[in-house]
Amino acid sequence: MSLQVVSAVSNSSLLQPGFSLLNFGGHVFFFGQKGWPKRSCPTGVFLLDVKQHELKMKPAFFSKDSCYLPPLRYPALCTLGGNTESDECQYVIHGGKTPNNDLSDKIYVMSLVSKTSKKTTFQCVEKDLGGDVPEARYGHTINVVHSRGKSMSVIFGGRTYTPLAQRTTEKWNSVVDCLPSVFLVDFEFGCCTSYVLPELQDGLSFHVSIARNDTIYILGGHSLQNNTRSPSLYKLKVDLPLGSPAVTCSILPGGISVSSAIVTQTGDTEFVLVGGYQSDNQKRLACNTIVLEDNKIEIVERASPDWAPDIKHCRMWFGCDMGKGSVLLGIPGANKQLISDANYFYILRCKGAEEDKEEELAAQICSQTSTEDPGDSTPFEDSEEFCFSAEANSFDVDDTDTYNEDDEEDESETGYWITCCATCNIDINTWVPFYSTELNKPAMILCSGGSGHWVHAQCMDLSETMLLRLSEANVKYFCNEHVDLNKGLQTPKKVVRLKKQPMKPLRKKTTMKLSTPTKKSFLRRLFE
């Protein structure tokens, strides 16, 4: 195992605890920055370029038919169908924290629409689910199982906020463990089913989950209720017959008491477990090898790398699975750097020396991340940790361009950070959500004037009620610069026509002939 320093060149301040990485066609994309997306990347999704020991990022874009995807931190995600080596790969994203520290209960599916050397476009779709829908949460896992030719997603664990009826002023945003229920999600029919298993007594969070065929292994995790890290190893088996699914759980020996650990895959059936915490104030520096077979799991301790002094003495750390035996590790650098939110990064390679050389130029994927932002809570608070699942795929970035502001195109199609009118008052440095609807979709609306363009609802003086009405009714809207708002929203009043009186026919003009003497007499009287 070898450890190597990596320099973060561009947008390094975005690489904070809580982010995730997605892999499409061998390219890794960063997702889940701490704040709302800014002008440099309206979607909050970046192409992550790891080349010659440097980290660079280039913004990605969403198609016009995409829904709005908040920059969620600590979500659960996994691939749905296909594989991450193919452009047809789709990612399922569930839960997570929004920049307002609200928790999401939504499920999104992201797929790649097009990719060129200068621009990558994604489609993001929000899935409607029915039945036993999992509550909003973070610090949980989602995996896909395959049985009898069918596939389903499995959601387990996590933390959520205390119900409103149980909150107090002093502990308004306190978190609690989610119930230890197992949720099966069928994306084909859009339904969810929950299962309560007697073997699962605690709502574990920040655990490790590894899926193989119809089986999921759950390792470690932290419980707030008794403040312990579970030493148990759980085996979930999902059977998908023609009728109702069957879910069983068994407890196996040989578990590890750890939370927020990272798993990376080094072979078809071999994984390496690194990182995490073994207590509230102590990182776990030991490493383990996990070998999975059809119905068997084996966990053995392996030699640890030569940790750098900065890693040994730091109070917290976080990281990602980069695939094929590589792990991206980050530690706070506030004490040594001028930028308070900057971090140091390392790449840990768990393969042999020869295999490391083969993978040195490739960047791979991580599926979930660990630890909360140090600004939001104290280090080592397990409620702010996150868990990792194993997704191993390569990332070839030889033909990838890095971010350049000159490459940016018209952002009117992609996000908030535009000047929508001459009196636009949106400040990209201090902007915060103006409407509650912005957690689900941007508070923007398309003006139908000309070829169409996006304008801010706030700048157009639209109320939240009117914004919802326009969004749902699918009616044409015209901004203030094109037509008066009332003309675009209201039907002109019916004007009652006045009845016209028929005109009277003109009387026939009559002429009177006068004799000459009479004329003279008439003229004389006229001038007298």
Side-chain angles (χ1 to χ4, degrees), residues 42 88 106 109 113 173 179 187 202 218 236 250 275 277 331 348 379:
E88 298 178 357
K106 300 183 180 299
V109 176
V113 175
N173 288 329
L179 295 176
F187 279 96
D202 298 320
I218 298 175
L236 290 179
S250 56
Y277 300 95
I331 61 174
L348 174 64

Side-chain angles (χ1 to χ4, degrees), residues 379-401:
F380 305 115
E381 182 180 350
D382 276 294
S383 64
E384 306 301 345
E385 295 178 0
F386 200 62
C387 50
F388 300 79
S389 66
E391 298 283 349
N393 295 279
S394 62
F395 173 33
D396 185 5
V397 295
D398 291 339
D399 60 348
T400 303
D401 293 340

Side-chain angles (χ1 to χ4, degrees), residues 289-309:
T289 298
I290 302 175
V291 178
L292 290 184
E293 296 181 356
D294 291 339
N295 292 307
K296 181 181 178 182
I297 181 172
E298 183 180 4
I299 304 176
V300 295
E301 190 170 348
R302 63 179 293 162
S304 300
D306 186 11
W307 298 111

Side-chain angles (χ1 to χ4, degrees), residues 202-419:
D202 298 320
L204 300 175
S205 304
F206 320 112
H207 55 274
V208 168
S209 64
I210 305 175
R212 180 177 175 82
N213 298 329
D214 61 351
T215 304
I216 298 175
Y217 295 95
I218 298 175
L219 177 69
H222 183 268
S223 174
L224 270 180
Q225 185 175 1
N226 49 25
N227 192 25
T228 59
R229 288 161 179 80
S230 174
S232 301
L233 175 61
Y234 298 97
K235 177 182 178 181
L236 290 179
K237 192 174 182 63
V238 181
D239 188 16
L240 302 176
L242 293 177
S244 300
V247 182
T248 58
C249 179
S250 56
I251 303 177
L252 305 179
I256 298 176
S257 179
V258 64
S259 59
S260 292
I262 309 168
V263 171
T264 183
Q265 189 170 2
T266 55
D268 293 338
T269 60
E270 183 177 283
F271 302 82
V272 175
L273 179 74
V274 297
Y277 300 95
Q278 63 186 30
S279 66
D280 290 344
N281 55 7
Q282 186 176 1
K283 303 189 305 293
R284 185 178 186 272
L285 299 175
C287 300
N288 296 85
T289 298
I290 302 175
V291 178
L292 290 184
E293 296 181 356
D294 291 339
N295 292 307
K296 181 181 178 182
I297 181 172
E298 183 180 4
I299 304 176
V300 295
E301 190 170 348
R302 63 179 293 162
S304 300
D306 186 11
W307 298 111
D310 288 339
I311 293 180
K312 289 182 178 179
H313 299 104
C314 68
R315 299 187 61 189
M316 63 170 290
W317 61 350
F318 59 98
C320 301
D321 168 30
M322 300 185 69
K324 292 192 175 181
S326 296
V327 172
L328 178 65
L329 293 172
I331 61 174
N335 295 332
K336 296 185 179 182
Q337 300 186 25
L338 297 177
I339 304 176
S340 60
D341 58 354
N343 297 310
Y344 287 122
F345 294 95
Y346 297 83
I347 290 183
L348 174 64
R349 304 187 187 279
C350 302
K351 291 187 176 182
E354 296 182 359
E355 293 171 313
D356 286 343
K357 292 181 181 179
E358 295 177 359
E359 306 297 336
E360 186 175 358
L361 298 179
Q364 298 88 16
I365 182 179
C366 83
S367 62
Q368 298 174 5
T369 53
S370 77
T371 37
E372 162 69 276
D373 186 338
D376 294 340
S377 63
T378 58
F380 305 115
E381 182 180 350
D382 276 294
S383 64
E384 306 301 345
E385 295 178 0
F386 200 62
C387 50
F388 300 79
S389 66
E391 298 283 349
N393 295 279
S394 62
F395 173 33
D396 185 5
V397 295
D398 291 339
D399 60 348
T400 303
D401 293 340
T402 54
Y403 171 60
N404 186 343
E405 287 188 357
D406 296 333
D407 294 336
E408 288 193 6
E409 299 184 5
D410 181 13
E411 293 174 352
S412 63
E413 300 179 356
T414 56
Y416 291 103
W417 309 113
I418 63 174
T419 300

